[in-house]
Amino acid sequence: MPERPGTFRERFPGLADRVYLNSNSTGLVPDEVEGVLHGYWRTLSSWRDDMWDRFFAATQDYADAVAGFIGAPPGSVVTDLNLSTLLARVASSFTYEAPRNKIVLTDLEFPTVTALWHGFSRYGARVEVVAGKGPDFDEDALVAAVDERTRLVCVSHGSYSTGAVLDLAPIVERAHAVGAHVVVDAYQTVGTVPLDVTALGVDFVLGGAQKWLCGVSTAFLYVRPDLLETLEPAVTGWLAKEAPFSSGPTDGWFGDARRFRAGTPVPLGAMMSAPGLRLLADVGAERVRAHSLACTGRIIERADRLGLAVLTPRPAERRGGVVCLAFPGGQQAVESLVADGLVCSWRGSLRVGPHFYNSMNEVDRFMDALGERL
């Protein structure tokens, strides 16, 4: 029987002597990561060129572990340092001649997404931003915006600013009906909201370890396997081609997601992120989600009693792992809470993000302390 959420406290040194409810911004890493760092130093201090084989194997093992966690087959996920880099490779795999040059976004996207697609306007991409319903997505308007002129729909699974979760199924269905592809930014949800990319039929999914996957300095890209051999990213590098270590030119692309690699990687991020992913997988995505909903539900209940505005949608199926609260003096309250060892974050609202290693007692301690500062 997998361990229950909340029973891993001794494996996360970042929980010692404080209440940490900030996994929506930066998740904690387990103590096993310390050994990874020491091992990395030992490798560097006794370097031989064949160490690259170990590094590439460790990176691929992590990519395949991510694939398993999101319901994808091995070989369909690639990793790199950040989501921006990987999204640029996806964007560079398409052309943007009219009339099929529309990119559909929402106004709840992380700034990276909006900035990147506006940058691609110089190559012909035409960006259309669909307004949400305040802090929530407007799925009907989003579906209506997708038509035969649409090249890509690029949307967040969860909003970084409100915690709202988008129902992806009707978006994927509509996009495929008109010949468009769907790119999902799941950085704000993967690890706390279950996601089965195969069942969903989505084309591309991006995410990262920094938040709910309990890792650091690595991001991932999933590509639907039957699309892979049709895609040739212009933003590329020597590691995207077969036999990259051969002495001659290599023109053939890898047949799997490795065709979305680029230059020499930094393997340490994937290596440090593997232990946290293993713990999450041991608990199971559904159990993590149930614990998260219980914790965020308690935060909303306590916020209502305190008279605070809750920006996050209330229905369980509409919210991710973070609750966003608005009230006068909110930023000062965050600073005071953090100074007293009650860690949360401020991004225009107070954001509280409990994870599977947190307890309900911690949630109550945090809300008690918040109430004292109002």
Side-chain angles (χ1 to χ4, degrees):
M1 172 71 70
E3 294 188 61
R4 295 189 306 277
T7 64
F8 292 93
R9 301 189 55 78
E10 72 284 355
R11 305 190 197 183
F12 289 89
L15 294 173
D17 302 320
R18 62 178 183 166
V19 173
Y20 190 88
L21 299 176
N22 194 37
S23 295
N24 54 285
S25 180
T26 301
L28 297 178
V29 296
D31 52 10
E32 189 179 340
V33 172
E34 183 177 6
V36 174
L37 286 167
H38 287 304
Y40 194 75
W41 166 245
R42 287 192 298 271
T43 298
L44 294 180
S45 63
S46 59
W47 181 263
R48 304 187 312 269
D49 231 30
D50 60 1
M51 298 296 187
W52 277 115
D53 293 334
R54 292 171 53 188
F55 282 167
F56 281 120
T59 302
Q60 190 60 48
D61 286 347
Y62 179 73
D64 287 342
V66 171
F69 191 76
I70 62 173
S76 62
V77 168
V78 66
T79 65
D80 210 307
L81 188 61
N82 55 57
L83 185 148
S84 303
T85 297
L86 291 167
L87 180 58
R89 291 179 207 156
V90 173
S92 76
S93 300
F94 295 90
T95 57
Y96 301 96
E97 298 93 355
R100 191 177 282 276
N101 61 344
K102 184 162 73 168
I103 309 298
V104 178
L105 313 177
T106 78
D107 62 355
L108 293 175
E109 305 307 318
F110 192 77
T112 281
V113 174
T114 305
L116 186 143
W117 284 116
H118 279 296
F120 268 75
S121 64
R122 73 183 63 181
Y123 305 118
R126 184 172 63 84
V127 176
E128 181 172 327
V129 179
V130 178
K133 297 177 179 177
D136 204 353
F137 296 97
D138 188 338
E139 287 161 7
D140 292 338
L142 187 53
V143 168
V146 180
D147 57 24
E148 288 76 7
R149 297 168 298 169
T150 304
R151 171 66 70 191
L152 293 164
V153 182
C154 187
V155 290
S156 293
H157 187 208
S159 168
Y160 81 102
S161 59
T162 70
V165 168
L166 176 64
D167 182 4
L168 295 170
I171 313 303
V172 173
E173 181 180 4
R174 172 59 181 167
H176 288 176
V178 297
H181 293 95
V182 179
V183 183
V184 174
D185 172 7
Y187 214 130
Q188 309 296 329
T189 54
V190 67
T192 192
V193 179
L195 181 63
D196 186 329
V197 298
T198 300
L200 186 62
V202 66
D203 305 300
F204 305 91
V205 174
L206 300 108
Q210 192 78 24
K211 302 177 185 294
W212 306 107
L213 289 181
C214 304
V216 65
S217 300
T218 194
F220 71 82
L221 164 66
Y222 159 80
V223 183
R224 206 178 82 210
D226 60 303
L227 290 178
L228 279 164
E229 293 193 0
T230 70
L231 301 169
E232 296 185 358
V235 178
T236 187
W238 67 287
L239 288 178
K241 301 300 181 71
E242 289 183 328
F245 287 96
S246 68
S247 57
T250 56
D251 296 325
W253 296 88
F254 272 113
D256 58 18
R258 287 176 294 176
R259 69 173 51 211
F260 281 88
R261 297 194 307 195
T264 304
V266 180
L268 183 58
M271 295 164 68
M272 290 191 295
S273 299
L277 181 58
R278 283 195 294 268
L279 287 177
L280 276 168
D282 285 345
V283 176
E286 295 295 339
R287 298 182 76 178
V288 171
R289 175 63 166 162
H291 182 70
S292 173
L293 288 173
C295 290
T296 56
R298 179 72 66 87
I299 293 167
I300 292 171
E301 175 191 335
R302 294 288 304 271
D304 285 342
R305 281 192 251 155
L306 292 171
L308 306 179
V310 178
L311 303 182
T312 304
R314 293 170 181 268
E317 69 277 7
R318 301 296 301 180
R319 69 176 189 264
V322 61
V323 176
C324 302
L325 306 174
F327 54 94
Q331 187 167 5
Q332 291 74 24
V334 169
E335 293 169 357
S336 174
L337 288 162
V338 172
D340 284 349
L342 298 130
V343 184
C344 56
S345 58
W346 174 266
R347 299 290 190 277
S349 63
L350 188 156
R351 305 192 304 170
V352 193
H355 203 9
F356 77 121
Y357 40 61
N358 292 119
S359 67
M360 198 65 76
N361 179 60
E362 287 181 305
V363 170
D364 285 331
R365 283 175 57 195
F366 179 90
M367 296 305 294
D368 288 343
L370 176 57
E372 293 169 0
R373 287 162 170 79
L374 299 177

